[in-house]
């Protein structure tokens, strides 16, 4: 278990060749805090693992900046709504 609660929205903009990102087993609560909703960051990201966090909702467009995303792992979160 890590203790990552939030991440600056621009954190993943620099490594533009990032293809796989594993942020599982943290305390992330809000997908919007990752910055993938409006900032076109990580254009080559194909796998995002957010399993085992504290995410409650998945807002519409929350990951719209990840146009190459093929795998999204949200297992073991407390998601109660998809907006």
């Amino acid at each position: 278990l890590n203790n990552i609660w939030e991440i600056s929205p621009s954190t993943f903009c620099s490594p533009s060749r990032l293809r796989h990102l594993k942020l599982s087993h943290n305390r992330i609560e809000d997908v919007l805090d990752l910055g993938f909703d409006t900032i076109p960051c990580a254009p080559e990201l194909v796998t995002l693992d957010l399993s085992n966090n504290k995410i409650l909702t998945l807002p519409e467009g929350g990951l719209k900046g990840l146009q190459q995303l093929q795998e999204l792992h949200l297992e073991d979160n407390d998601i109660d709504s998809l907006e």
Side-chain angles (χ1 to χ4, degrees), residues 29-48:
E29 296 178 357
D30 192 346
V31 172
L32 294 175
D33 289 342
L34 300 175
F36 294 133
D37 57 331
T38 57
I39 301 171
C41 293
E44 296 185 24
L45 192 70
V46 293
T47 305
L48 178 58

Side-chain angles (χ1 to χ4, degrees), residues 16-58:
S16 62
R17 300 193 69 102
L18 183 66
R19 295 187 46 81
H20 306 280
L21 179 59
K22 185 173 183 176
L23 292 171
S24 62
H25 296 90
N26 283 291
R27 299 180 187 274
I28 298 169
E29 296 178 357
D30 192 346
V31 172
L32 294 175
D33 289 342
L34 300 175
F36 294 133
D37 57 331
T38 57
I39 301 171
C41 293
E44 296 185 24
L45 192 70
V46 293
T47 305
L48 178 58
D49 186 350
L50 294 171
S51 61
N52 293 287
N53 276 286
K54 304 291 182 188
I55 299 169
L56 298 174
T57 63
L58 189 59

Side-chain angles (χ1 to χ4, degrees), residues 1 15 22-23 29 31 42-43 56 69 71 75 80-81 83:
L1 177 66
K22 185 173 183 176
L23 292 171
E29 296 178 357
V31 172
L56 298 174
L69 191 66
E71 288 184 41
E75 304 88 31
D80 60 10
S81 70
E83 299 174 353

